[in-house]
Amino acid sequence: MRQVHNYLDLSLIEINKLFKEKKITPTDLVLEAFDRVEKNKELNSFITLNKEEALKQAKELEQKEVDSLTFGIPIAIKDNIVTKDLRTTAASKMLENFNPIYDADVIKKIKDANMIIIGKTNMDEFAMGSSNRTSYFGLVKNPWDKNRVPGGSSGGSAAAVSSRIVPLAIGSDTGGSIRQPASFCGVVGLKPTYGRVSRYGLIAFASSLDQIGPMTRNVYENALLLNTICGKSSNDLTSVETNEDFTRLIGKDISNMKIAIPNYYVNDAIDKEIINKLNEVVELLKKKNCTIDYVDINYIDKAVPLYQIIAMGEASSNLARYDGIRYGYSYETPENIEDLYLKSRKIGFGPEVKRRIMIGSYLLSGKNAKEYYDKALKIRDDLRRNFLATFEKYDLIIGPTNTTTAYELDKGLDDAIKSFLDDILTIPVNMAGLPGMSVPIGFSDSKLPIGLQIIGKPFDEAKMYQLASFIEKELNLDLNPNGGEKND
Amino acid sequence: MTNYIPTIGIEVHVELKTNTKIFSNSINGYGQMANSLTNVVDLGYPGTLPTLNKEVINLAIKAAKVLNCNIRREMHFDRKNYFYPDNPKNFQITQSRTPIGYDGYVEIEVEKTKKKIYIEEMHIEEDTCKSTHRGDKTLLDFNRAGVPLIEIVTKPCISSSTEAKLYLEKLKELLFYSDISDCKMEEGSMRCDANVSIRKNEQDLFGTKCEIKNIGSISNVGLSIEKEIERQAKLLDSGETFKEQTRRFDNKTCDTVLMRVKETGNDYRYFPEPDIPYLYITDEMITEVEKTICMLPDERRTIYIEKGVSDVNAKKLIQNRELSDYFNTLLSEKTNFKIASNLILGDISAYLNKNEKKITDTTLTKERFLELIEKVDDGTLTSKNLKDILDVILEKDISISTIIKESGIENITDDSTIREIIKKIISENPESVSDYKAGHDRAIKFFMGQVMKETKGSANPKLAMDILKEELK
Amino acid sequence: MEEKLTREEVLHVANLARIEIDEEELAMYQVKLKQILNEIEKINEVTSYDEGMLICPTENKCKLREDTAGEMLEPREALKNAPRSSGNYFSVPVVIGETGEASA
């Protein structure tokens, strides 16, 4: 039997040192990652594993020079990001047997950086959900309490990082899908500024809200991963050039930072425990002479209805392509073309996805488009400008990531309106295209992680990392759900 | 003819002549193996995003200019959502709210009167894939998916099938001339729909509209409009009403056939395309495109006729863009344009057709052509001996005068030699001399014919005529 | 009485979305879609706003691509995930009526 080393509990810097000293090889890490997948099978954090290819790639890396901190590091990819010749399902029956014929832009970057893809992580179907219970491949469990949800939709990625199966994972965030599970699972998750990371190859949910981002064990490694995946792509007209090192402000003094807390972010709907943790952070920041002001941001409370109109509308259109003709599930014995459409989509999509397509189609149909959609886009413009005006006075905005901590797996799922309430604090960030991250700031009485949300102005991720790293260092939390007992 | 007033509007789709598709960089081609000109974007694969082809925007700006449209400076694209197997994403990216061109016109001439056909708007969109029906299956070829289109929509201001046909011919000429589209209706690179309604009096509201879709040729557009007017008139005459509907033209029966009755308008759920940021058209972009707009047919026609080219030749020249362009290079020169047009459309065209060459592939530079025109004009070259040396003129880069000299067909321009021959002919034909003296024109033609016969066509005709007239005095 | 959409309205939406629904779902959507509509009515509380629409939160202007060809798929690769194909073609049950043209 192989000896267990728990290399995957080490930081990337420590691993890098061992690589350089030739004490370990990428193969050691890959094997350990798959051991951990096996041990954490109950979490159900992966839909598809890439074992053969990962081992082959690890072997090849042994011949290469260790050129960066991400070299040879196992990474998990949310299953709505297409990987050539590696099944990509978006956690849907619709794409159960879908083998992409191209790589997403981020996948190319990850491969070029010599990271090793361990597998594709579980998620809510087509990223629609915030508890990872809408997956066709079964729910995911929270590593901190296996009776609770990991959050969603990037629940598999959050659980895989939290349980230390992989140090790095990729998620996507349309209304909170990186930040909310990061918060529920006690990991660091960043939704970058809209356009920071190319969306080419991300299976679209809502095009004007979707963004790919890093999910990691700590702030520094999060910035490292963002360094790798960001940048302009000729395939994505909304992407932008990046020429910066996101780690550059980490550890730098945060004294005198000006920070705003929207009043909406400390409203009554938020758990007291969470507000208390937020207040502890506020005290910490005040000690560093930071300005903390409670502010109003107009229309922030309208973000949820805006989201319902815009996200559902875009989704109904983006998901129209699943028609059983070119790829994906196709009803076997259709009577005619209409029958092919109706049955393939009835059977291929799960209830939550169908519900959202129905809502989106309804809100765009007939007079509704003019009456609601146009107006939503106008208010959205105002909301963004109100955010930007706030950033003229403040460096960053903070608040809780969620209104609650991870809830129980059997909590009611089926409520048209309430299911978006999970995301009331995260959705405004997507609406305005801002960068937002969740960083762990402690635990509830029942030992469930609590996340702080940090929101920056467009393209100011470096400053967010600066603040996050300060808080991380000050709090020095033990974020391994396996606690004292080692992962063996 | 009926005693109703028809109102006609026309929608035309043309495929743009670009190298690649509108939203992806796969090739825009026709007649290739099925599904060989596609990539993941054209197939609407999950995760793919559109990019926007620069040339499409340039050609659309060009079209807007040529059709006298205003050009919008800030625009977005929209999604038109509908399920159809030829529609890969089940939405089509188009411009419904901010068409790139609007408020334009095309001028036509109806029975010597000029009339403007007003263009409501023209916008950019993507073509669908091609479907073929085989038994109980429909086969899909995505080569055409994403080919760039512009759709040009007129106001309902066309009042007859003749006007409709003239408009389409003019439109086709303009777009073809400007290298915007091939405009091949038989290959589907130009497609027409006509909206027809009729009413009794000018003061009346517009009648119920019927749309005839996808008519395969300009003459059939004319026919189908006439048939549709007749059909609607018959219904109205017998007191019947009908619903708005979509029809098609049946080539076999030469009549329109009902496709479907429009229920409550289509619900396309248009919304702005979020994957394509706002597009801004700058002055520079327009200026750059303007530089590429060549002289348009109407202007050519006017200039040619001013320069002395016959109506027939002017028309023929314009029909051949390449020859017309060549001809245009002469316009700044002083030369005999009538002879120039005869030469180009006559012997030179014959040579080009026979050898499958373009005029620009020959050695006939502008300078040599001017020399050639001069030699024909001054009588040095007759049409007969031109034929003998034409191949050399078009294939060798030697001066025309050298070719004439070396070919040995140089005309007899020596006064005394011609005079001797003429004297001989006059003495041999006394009757014709009397004819001439009696004022019969044909006599001089007869003498000239004899002179050419004697000299085997090599006498300088101008010189021969002068001497002949002298000797006949 | 509970506010809801008519059966016809829901069937129209289901047809637009091309999703077959059963009686139970139909009844559910009659209520759910109405609830959602009431929920989004909240945006009508906002009465003063700028006319500009935020279609996408990007400052990018649309950058145009040069008109040069890139790589294309082999027909076989294009058809790789197709549930039905015939030769080099994708195949679907016959579409009756219109021939597929863009001028819809």
Side-chain angles (χ1 to χ4, degrees):
Chain A
M1 204 184 138
R2 245 166 2 88
Q3 206 189 332
V4 177
H5 292 286
N6 292 320
Y7 295 127
L8 287 174
D9 291 340
L10 301 175
S11 73
L12 295 194
I13 293 175
E14 288 165 320
I15 291 173
N16 189 257
K17 190 161 170 276
L18 293 177
F19 275 157
K20 283 192 167 153
E21 291 166 354
K22 300 208 183 299
K23 292 198 173 132
I24 60 166
T25 66
T27 306
D28 295 328
L29 288 191
V30 170
L31 287 171
E32 193 178 308
F34 284 107
D35 281 351
R36 290 185 172 197
V37 169
E38 202 50 45
K39 282 196 193 98
N40 291 287
K41 224 174 172 159
E42 191 195 355
L43 296 179
N44 194 28
S45 50
F46 285 86
I47 292 174
T48 307
L49 293 171
N50 189 35
K51 193 164 183 179
E52 206 175 307
E53 195 52 40
L55 283 168
K56 194 176 133 207
Q57 198 195 339
K59 199 92 201 138
E60 282 163 13
L61 286 185
E62 285 171 18
Q63 311 304 315
K64 285 192 188 169
E65 199 188 331
V66 182
D67 59 353
S68 70
L69 285 172
T70 50
F71 180 94
I73 303 298
I75 185 167
I77 310 290
K78 187 175 179 181
D79 206 22
N80 60 349
I81 294 168
V82 302
T83 41
K84 192 175 184 196
D85 300 326
L86 176 59
R87 181 173 78 139
T88 302
T89 69
S92 180
K93 177 178 171 63
M94 187 57 90
L95 293 176
E96 189 177 2
N97 299 308
F98 177 60
N99 275 304
I101 50 180
Y102 76 106
D103 268 332
D105 281 340
V106 286
I107 298 300
K108 282 190 194 139
K109 284 176 183 282
I110 282 165
K111 287 180 177 172
D112 287 347
N114 293 317
M115 284 180 245
I116 300 171
I117 296 169
I118 294 302
K120 307 296 292 288
T121 56
N122 207 339
M123 54 183 277
D124 282 294
E125 184 181 358
F126 281 102
M128 295 176 177
S130 39
S131 60
N132 215 122
R133 289 178 294 177
T134 69
S135 170
Y136 175 67
F137 299 92
L139 50 77
V140 176
K141 292 176 178 169
N142 191 316
W144 291 91
D145 177 347
K146 297 193 177 70
N147 292 312
R148 289 178 188 267
V149 302
S153 66
S154 311
S157 288
V161 172
S162 167
S163 59
R164 303 301 186 257
I165 295 173
V166 282
L168 308 173
I170 296 289
S172 73
D173 189 315
T174 306
S177 281
I178 287 175
R179 289 159 289 161
Q180 187 254 22
S183 156
F184 279 10
C185 292
V187 303
V188 178
L190 174 96
K191 181 207 94 76
T193 311
Y194 188 83
R196 183 66 98 178
V197 180
S198 166
R199 289 179 294 118
Y200 188 74
L202 169 65
I203 295 179
F205 162 9
S207 312
S208 75
L209 301 156
D210 294 343
Q211 190 63 195
I212 295 172
M215 301 178 82
T216 58
R217 304 169 299 183
N218 58 54
V219 175
Y220 177 73
E221 291 172 5
N222 202 279
L224 273 185
L225 185 50
L226 183 61
N227 276 349
T228 305
I229 62 173
C230 69
K232 187 170 182 65
S233 160
S234 58
N235 297 320
D236 179 357
L237 288 168
T238 62
S239 65
V240 294
E241 189 49 47
T242 296
N243 226 334
E244 59 181 302
D245 173 7
F246 294 104
T247 66
R248 71 184 188 280
L249 300 179
I250 288 178
K252 294 266 176 351
D253 186 19
I254 62 142
S255 297
N256 304 316
M257 259 196 192
K258 293 195 178 66
I259 292 163
I261 300 176
N263 286 314
Y264 184 70
Y265 276 43
V266 287
N267 70 48
D268 294 344
I270 300 158
D271 281 1
K272 201 84 197 104
E273 283 187 305
I274 293 175
I275 298 289
N276 290 343
K277 284 290 165 208
L278 172 67
N279 288 337
E280 286 174 25
V281 170
V282 167
E283 289 313 310
L284 212 61
L285 298 177
K286 280 183 176 164
K287 274 187 208 149
K288 289 297 266 180
N289 282 325
C290 292
T291 307
I292 308 275
D293 288 341
Y294 289 82
V295 302
D296 280 322
I297 296 175
N298 259 347
Y299 308 150
I300 202 167
D301 58 323
K302 297 292 181 288
V304 170
L306 294 185
Y307 183 81
Q308 285 166 338
I309 299 167
I310 294 166
M312 304 305 114
E314 290 182 7
S316 70
S317 173
N318 283 332
L319 271 69
R321 69 189 64 203
Y322 305 101
D323 58 10
I325 296 178
R326 285 143 294 129
Y327 43 74
Y329 174 74
S330 188
Y331 181 63
E332 292 78 7
T333 50
E335 283 169 25
N336 52 45
I337 182 71
E338 285 301 320
D339 198 39
L340 176 71
Y341 288 148
L342 292 167
K343 297 244 170 51
S344 298
R345 291 166 66 79
K346 175 199 174 83
I347 300 166
F349 290 135
E352 178 65 15
V353 172
K354 285 193 269 194
R355 194 174 71 83
R356 296 199 189 195
I357 294 173
M358 286 290 286
I359 294 170
S361 303
Y362 176 56
L363 296 181
L364 282 173
S365 73
K367 287 184 196 138
N368 290 347
K370 272 239 156 340
E371 208 158 313
Y372 300 106
Y373 205 89
D374 283 12
K375 188 163 183 186
L377 293 179
K378 288 171 188 169
I379 298 172
R380 183 182 187 185
D381 192 37
D382 280 23
L383 174 60
R384 176 171 159 100
R385 280 188 285 112
N386 295 339
F387 263 114
L388 297 183
T390 308
F391 285 117
E392 280 173 18
K393 293 190 209 131
Y394 299 93
D395 295 302
L396 296 167
I397 292 171
I398 63 168
T401 308
N402 301 110
T403 54
T404 66
T405 51
Y407 41 84
E408 279 163 354
L409 286 167
D410 55 8
K411 187 188 159 198
L413 170 80
D414 188 39
D415 189 317
I417 295 152
K418 291 231 173 65
S419 73
F420 295 114
L421 289 183
D422 271 354
D423 307 324
I424 60 168
L425 306 177
T426 45
I427 281 175
V429 176
N430 300 75
M431 271 300 142
L434 305 171
M437 74 188 290
S438 180
V439 58
I441 51 167
F443 297 91
S444 67
D445 290 344
S446 41
K447 191 74 175 131
L448 292 170
I450 291 170
L452 173 81
Q453 189 173 197
I454 304 174
I455 303 166
K457 66 179 174 219
F459 306 108
D460 211 11
E461 286 89 343
K463 196 180 280 165
M464 294 158 60
Y465 284 131
Q466 183 186 3
L467 180 66
S469 67
F470 168 79
I471 293 166
E472 180 182 57
K473 194 170 167 220
E474 288 295 313
L475 297 176
N476 193 24
L477 302 168
D478 180 4
L479 292 167
N480 190 334
N482 309 304
E485 30 176 320
K486 280 290 168 198
N487 206 331
D488 52 11
Chain B
M1 281 301 281
T2 65
N3 46 5
Y4 288 92
I5 303 166
T7 305
I8 302 155
I10 290 186
E11 289 168 23
V12 172
H13 284 86
V14 289
E15 290 183 345
L16 301 180
K17 249 168 88 175
T18 55
N19 296 323
T20 64
K21 294 183 179 177
I22 177 166
F23 300 122
S24 92
N25 65 3
S26 62
I27 290 174
N28 169 8
Y30 180 81
Q32 302 293 306
M33 190 208 298
N35 291 304
S36 66
L37 304 179
T38 71
N39 62 24
V40 285
V41 179
D42 307 326
L43 295 176
Y45 252 63
T48 56
L49 297 169
T51 57
L52 186 55
N53 184 347
K54 190 183 204 168
E55 189 60 12
V56 170
I57 302 306
N58 286 339
L59 291 180
I61 293 173
K62 201 174 189 181
K65 277 276 154 197
V66 166
L67 304 177
N68 305 298
C69 287
N70 291 320
I71 295 169
R72 195 177 302 275
R73 297 310 188 90
E74 180 185 331
M75 70 195 84
H76 65 262
F77 287 78
D78 297 283
R79 289 188 186 179
K80 177 181 181 177
N81 295 285
Y82 66 96
F83 277 82
Y84 210 75
D86 67 7
N87 187 8
K89 302 179 292 295
N90 289 316
F91 63 80
Q92 180 194 30
I93 306 179
T94 176
Q95 294 186 305
S96 80
R97 281 197 223 188
T98 54
I100 186 164
Y102 58 97
D103 290 347
Y105 66 87
V106 164
E107 200 170 60
I108 58 168
E109 206 177 295
V110 200
E111 287 155 9
K112 302 280 173 198
T113 319
K114 291 202 164 137
K115 177 175 175 175
K116 280 179 180 166
I117 303 297
Y118 291 98
I119 290 167
E120 174 91 37
E121 56 106 340
M122 51 155 286
H123 63 259
I124 306 164
E125 61 185 29
E126 58 181 329
D127 210 343
T128 55
C129 82
K130 202 168 169 57
S131 40
T132 327
H133 305 294
R134 282 276 161 75
D136 61 347
K137 284 188 225 160
T138 293
L139 303 180
L140 303 171
D141 171 10
F142 286 76
N143 287 354
R144 201 183 66 184
V147 164
L149 294 175
I150 50 173
E151 180 176 349
I152 302 156
V153 182
T154 70
K155 294 198 164 140
C157 66
I158 297 169
S159 49
S160 70
S161 62
T162 313
E163 283 184 20
K165 283 192 285 183
L166 286 170
Y167 162 70
L168 288 171
E169 270 157 20
K170 194 58 174 288
L171 185 70
K172 188 173 168 178
E173 190 179 71
L174 287 169
L175 298 174
F176 180 76
Y177 242 83
S178 314
D179 267 333
I180 293 167
S181 173
D182 282 336
C183 295
K184 288 184 184 160
M185 291 187 80
E186 66 281 7
E187 287 181 8
S189 66
M190 179 170 174
R191 311 196 276 270
C192 304
D193 307 332
N195 284 297
V196 182
S197 71
I198 58 172
R199 55 183 163 165
K200 260 264 156 15
N201 303 298
E202 288 287 356
Q203 316 75 280
D204 296 350
L205 292 172
F206 287 124
T208 307
K209 187 171 82 174
C210 294
E211 184 179 22
I212 314 157
K213 278 208 165 291
N214 259 313
I215 315 166
S217 69
I218 293 182
S219 57
N220 282 351
V221 171
L223 262 177
S224 59
I225 290 173
E226 281 160 30
K227 288 286 183 181
E228 186 55 24
I229 293 170
E230 258 175 54
R231 192 187 67 85
Q232 293 184 15
K234 234 180 242 170
L235 287 171
L236 293 188
D237 282 342
S238 58
E240 286 179 60
T241 56
F242 51 89
K243 279 189 176 167
E244 242 184 69
Q245 53 194 267
T246 303
R247 306 180 68 85
R248 66 179 173 83
F249 184 74
D250 187 327
N251 286 323
K252 283 184 199 125
T253 60
C254 276
D255 207 345
T256 66
V257 186
L258 178 71
M259 282 168 76
R260 57 171 186 266
V261 174
K262 284 191 181 169
E263 296 294 342
T264 45
N266 287 308
D267 199 343
Y268 289 126
R269 290 157 290 143
Y270 285 102
F271 73 96
E273 167 60 85
D275 286 325
I276 305 176
Y278 277 103
L279 171 67
Y280 296 89
I281 307 286
T282 61
D283 289 346
E284 293 73 47
M285 287 163 81
I286 295 173
T287 314
E288 278 308 302
V289 170
E290 277 171 340
K291 284 184 200 159
T292 68
I293 300 178
C294 67
M295 192 192 289
L296 295 175
D298 278 352
E299 196 183 345
R300 288 180 198 233
R301 199 170 289 125
T302 311
I303 293 178
Y304 293 172
I305 287 167
E306 263 173 29
K307 297 269 184 192
V309 176
S310 68
D311 282 8
V312 177
N313 274 5
K315 195 174 174 193
K316 279 189 185 161
L317 267 177
I318 290 163
Q319 277 167 0
N320 188 325
R321 163 86 196 269
E322 177 203 321
L323 293 181
S324 176
D325 281 349
Y326 182 81
F327 192 80
N328 282 4
T329 63
L330 305 176
L331 293 178
S332 55
E333 306 293 332
K334 237 179 113 71
T335 185
N336 187 329
F337 290 99
K338 191 179 161 75
I339 291 178
S341 69
N342 285 336
L343 284 171
I344 289 189
L345 294 166
D347 293 336
I348 296 176
S349 274
Y351 169 89
L352 296 174
N353 290 339
K354 195 176 119 205
N355 295 287
E356 289 177 1
K357 271 189 185 173
K358 287 184 186 165
I359 193 157
T360 45
D361 296 337
T362 69
T363 58
L364 194 65
T365 57
K366 178 170 122 184
E367 287 66 34
R368 293 181 71 241
F369 189 41
L370 287 169
E371 195 188 349
L372 178 64
I373 298 165
E374 195 191 311
K375 295 290 180 206
V376 174
D377 197 15
D378 70 10
T380 311
L381 274 175
T382 63
S383 62
K384 185 199 165 289
N385 49 33
L386 170 62
K387 280 194 174 67
D388 295 338
I389 58 168
L390 190 70
D391 286 9
V392 187
I393 291 175
L394 296 176
E395 288 166 13
K396 297 225 163 78
D397 192 15
I398 313 169
S399 80
I400 307 293
S401 51
T402 312
I403 295 174
I404 293 171
K405 209 171 283 169
E406 284 176 359
S407 66
I409 54 139
E410 193 161 7
N411 284 350
I412 305 167
T413 51
D414 170 33
D415 193 291
S416 57
T417 318
I418 296 180
R419 196 175 294 273
E420 218 161 277
I421 294 167
I422 286 176
K423 274 183 180 160
K424 182 171 161 262
I425 293 170
I426 289 178
S427 66
E428 282 168 3
N429 295 286
E431 322 81 48
S432 298
V433 175
S434 331
D435 271 5
Y436 177 77
K437 297 219 160 121
H440 295 300
D441 260 3
R442 61 187 156 88
I444 197 107
K445 279 185 186 150
F446 166 78
F447 283 121
M448 275 303 283
Q450 291 300 308
V451 174
M452 288 301 162
K453 197 175 160 193
E454 280 295 316
T455 59
K456 296 192 173 68
S458 66
N460 181 324
K462 204 163 167 277
L463 187 62
M465 184 62 89
D466 290 347
I467 297 172
L468 188 61
K469 281 182 182 164
E470 263 176 53
E471 291 298 321
L472 282 169
K473 265 184 195 159
Chain C
M1 205 190 91
E2 203 172 19
E3 280 189 284
K4 54 186 190 180
L5 301 190
T6 64
R7 288 173 60 91
E8 289 65 37
E9 284 173 307
V10 172
L11 288 172
H12 173 65
V13 174
N15 185 53
L16 288 177
R18 293 297 193 283
I19 295 173
E20 191 175 271
I21 54 171
D22 56 31
E23 279 299 320
E24 201 180 313
E25 287 168 308
L26 178 64
M28 182 264 290
Y29 281 122
Q30 282 182 266
V31 178
K32 283 264 159 77
L33 292 181
K34 186 66 193 172
Q35 276 178 1
I36 278 283
L37 200 65
N38 292 341
E39 176 74 7
I40 65 164
E41 279 291 340
K42 277 184 195 156
I43 67 165
N44 286 330
E45 291 164 12
V46 180
T47 47
S48 67
Y49 48 85
D50 226 62
E51 277 306 300
M53 293 193 298
L54 185 66
I55 295 171
C56 185
T58 176
E59 305 276 316
N60 282 9
K61 291 176 180 175
C62 182
K63 189 175 184 291
L64 298 171
R65 162 174 56 79
E66 292 303 321
D67 188 21
T68 44
E71 271 179 53
M72 292 186 289
L73 298 167
E74 291 289 327
R76 206 161 32 119
E77 219 181 343
L79 290 160
K80 190 179 161 191
N81 282 294
R84 296 173 188 81
S85 62
S86 173
N88 274 347
Y89 292 86
F90 292 84
S91 165
V92 292
V94 76
V95 180
I96 307 155
E98 287 185 65
T99 52
E101 298 294 349
S103 42

